[in-house]
Amino acid sequence: MQPLLFETKTVLQESIFVKEVNVKCLTNPLHFHNEYEMVWMTKSNGRRIVGDSIANFSEGDLIIMGPNLPHVMYNDKEYYESDSDREVKAIVTYFRLDWLNDNFLGANEVGKFNDLLKDIQRGIHIYGKSKTQVVTILNQLLISTGLKRIIHLLSILDLLSGTKEYKCLSSTGYTNPHNQKDVQRIDKIYNYVMNNFTQNISLEQTAAMANMTTASFCKYFKGRTQKTFTHFVNEVRIGYACKLLYNDHLTISQICFQSGFNNLTNFNRNFKRFIKISPSDFKRNLKL
DNA sequence: GCATTAGGATGTATACGCCC
DNA sequence: GGGCGTATACATCCTAATGC
């Protein structure tokens, strides 16, 4: 992982900047910037962290994140193997809305638009028909220039203002770290967990890695992420277990141990805690 | 045989208050 | 903001029972 710790994208002289990503694997660290960011993942899968939300992503994943919202994406392990033939393709759109002044945003007609922008501050995941419609407009945006590009962007935001087919990613109580040292430290912790969650992860070792005592580390981690370190690790493990459950020839106990849990009881309890149903029900639902 | 649940024992992660 | 000491809530492990 590159030690790039803080990325601030200055979006040139344009209010919309589109980047086509075509790489072997994702290596960007946890970062945030002043621009809105829309990511349409056309190829690759893995896990993404947006604010305090952790979730799996796969091909077709479409998210929009607000300014200064810390985020990072990790591919599945096989992407980082030297002989891997996997690849990542995505369309990333950065945009600014600072040209929309208070007079515009204060108008009665844009009430829903303001609500959408508030939701986007926390990051949103778009699904259903709305996702298809957004992607259609996004494809038009990609080939357009000048004012038309802005009109297409506004069309996307207008469409999302009138739909319920999106869910907010980070929680309402989430607060951004907003300083480089915090992002640097949290990134180091996230990386460590993402690379080691299938094995034993000791709190003591992780705290030492962050140059803290265990007590300080716990307080620090909870303060920055709104969740305990154990909660975070378990959430990552259950997310991975969900992926493994798609694999039909693995038993639930095999998945339990491959996800980093040491016993089935604890696995089942945590699975129900995060997913609300048992692993076997989850597997059964996949077949419906 | 496998998955799930429950209960008890144990260890540790966390919260809290205080201090620098 | 971060370290230290302490109490305790919680996670984990183990075992047993039950159901499919």
Side-chain angles (χ1 to χ4, degrees), chain A residues 135-146:
Chain A
V135 167
T136 305
I137 303 173
L138 183 59
N139 278 320
Q140 292 167 356
L141 186 151
L142 290 176
I143 53 170
S144 61
T145 55

Side-chain angles (χ1 to χ4, degrees), chain A residues 57-120:
Chain A
F57 70 85
S58 55
E59 289 181 15
D61 192 60
L62 180 65
I63 59 169
I64 305 180
M65 295 165 288
N68 300 316
L69 182 62
H71 55 277
V72 61
M73 286 185 172
Y74 302 94
N75 282 125
D76 288 339
K77 275 187 175 174
E78 53 268 29
Y79 281 77
Y80 301 100
E81 290 164 4
S82 54
D83 57 345
S84 170
D85 58 350
R86 304 288 180 108
E87 56 180 353
V88 179
K89 288 187 178 179
I91 303 294
V92 184
T93 309
Y94 300 96
F95 58 95
R96 295 198 319 250
L97 293 176
D98 48 7
W99 46 274
L100 296 175
N101 63 25
D102 290 345
N103 285 340
F104 173 81
L105 295 171
N108 290 336
E109 297 95 316
V110 294
K112 283 185 178 177
F113 182 79
N114 279 326
D115 292 341
L116 172 72
L117 292 187
K118 277 181 200 159
D119 289 340
I120 290 179

Side-chain angles (χ1 to χ4, degrees), chain A residues 15-44:
Chain A
S15 43
I16 304 172
F17 172 70
V18 184
K19 184 171 82 176
E20 199 171 341
V21 176
N22 196 346
V23 292
K24 286 279 180 190
C25 59
L26 295 165
T27 56
N28 267 354
L30 179 73
H31 65 282
F32 59 87
H33 40 72
N34 295 327
E35 293 77 29
Y36 289 83
E37 180 176 340
M38 174 161 54
V39 182
W40 177 33
M41 186 63 67
T42 54
K43 195 171 184 181
S44 97

Side-chain angles (χ1 to χ4, degrees), chain A residues 24-249:
Chain A
K24 286 279 180 190
C25 59
L26 295 165
T27 56
N28 267 354
L30 179 73
H31 65 282
F32 59 87
H33 40 72
N34 295 327
E35 293 77 29
Y36 289 83
E37 180 176 340
M38 174 161 54
V39 182
W40 177 33
M41 186 63 67
T42 54
K43 195 171 184 181
S44 97
N45 46 41
R47 272 169 300 286
R48 60 170 145 70
I49 300 176
V50 177
D52 59 352
S53 138
I54 309 165
N56 293 329
F57 70 85
S58 55
E59 289 181 15
D61 192 60
L62 180 65
I63 59 169
I64 305 180
M65 295 165 288
N68 300 316
L69 182 62
H71 55 277
V72 61
M73 286 185 172
Y74 302 94
N75 282 125
D76 288 339
K77 275 187 175 174
E78 53 268 29
Y79 281 77
Y80 301 100
E81 290 164 4
S82 54
D83 57 345
S84 170
D85 58 350
R86 304 288 180 108
E87 56 180 353
V88 179
K89 288 187 178 179
I91 303 294
V92 184
T93 309
Y94 300 96
F95 58 95
R96 295 198 319 250
L97 293 176
D98 48 7
W99 46 274
L100 296 175
N101 63 25
D102 290 345
N103 285 340
F104 173 81
L105 295 171
N108 290 336
E109 297 95 316
V110 294
K112 283 185 178 177
F113 182 79
N114 279 326
D115 292 341
L116 172 72
L117 292 187
K118 277 181 200 159
D119 289 340
I120 290 179
Q121 290 291 338
R122 293 160 55 196
I124 61 168
H125 173 240
I126 304 150
Y127 57 88
K129 281 184 184 171
S130 299
K131 185 177 89 173
T132 312
Q133 290 170 316
V134 169
V135 167
T136 305
I137 303 173
L138 183 59
N139 278 320
Q140 292 167 356
L141 186 151
L142 290 176
I143 53 170
S144 61
T145 55
L147 190 58
K148 274 195 177 164
R149 194 169 250 206
I150 295 175
I151 292 169
H152 286 315
L153 174 67
L154 288 175
S155 298
I156 290 174
L157 296 175
D158 178 48
L159 192 154
L160 292 173
S161 302
T163 181
K164 289 181 179 173
E165 288 183 319
Y166 71 77
K167 70 169 187 187
C168 292
L169 295 172
S170 58
S171 60
T172 44
Y174 178 74
T175 50
N176 300 345
H178 274 253
N179 81 62
Q180 182 167 345
K181 202 178 169 187
D182 269 352
V183 174
Q184 192 171 345
R185 188 176 266 167
I186 295 286
D187 178 59
K188 201 173 172 184
I189 297 163
Y190 281 174
N191 261 316
Y192 179 70
V193 173
M194 288 300 172
N195 288 323
N196 296 284
F197 70 87
T198 55
Q199 303 150 36
N200 278 338
I201 292 180
S202 82
L203 177 69
E204 204 172 22
Q205 202 177 345
T206 316
M209 199 189 64
N211 299 319
M212 287 177 171
T213 63
T214 51
S216 298
F217 175 75
C218 290
K219 192 159 83 173
Y220 174 83
F221 194 84
K222 181 76 188 282
R224 298 302 183 283
T225 65
Q226 319 297 316
K227 55 185 81 174
T228 67
F229 180 64
T230 311
H231 181 109
F232 172 73
V233 174
N234 284 337
E235 201 172 351
V236 171
R237 284 175 171 160
I238 293 298
Y240 183 67
C242 287
K243 280 197 160 189
L244 294 182
L245 281 164
Y246 282 88
N247 191 333
D248 212 27
H249 65 268

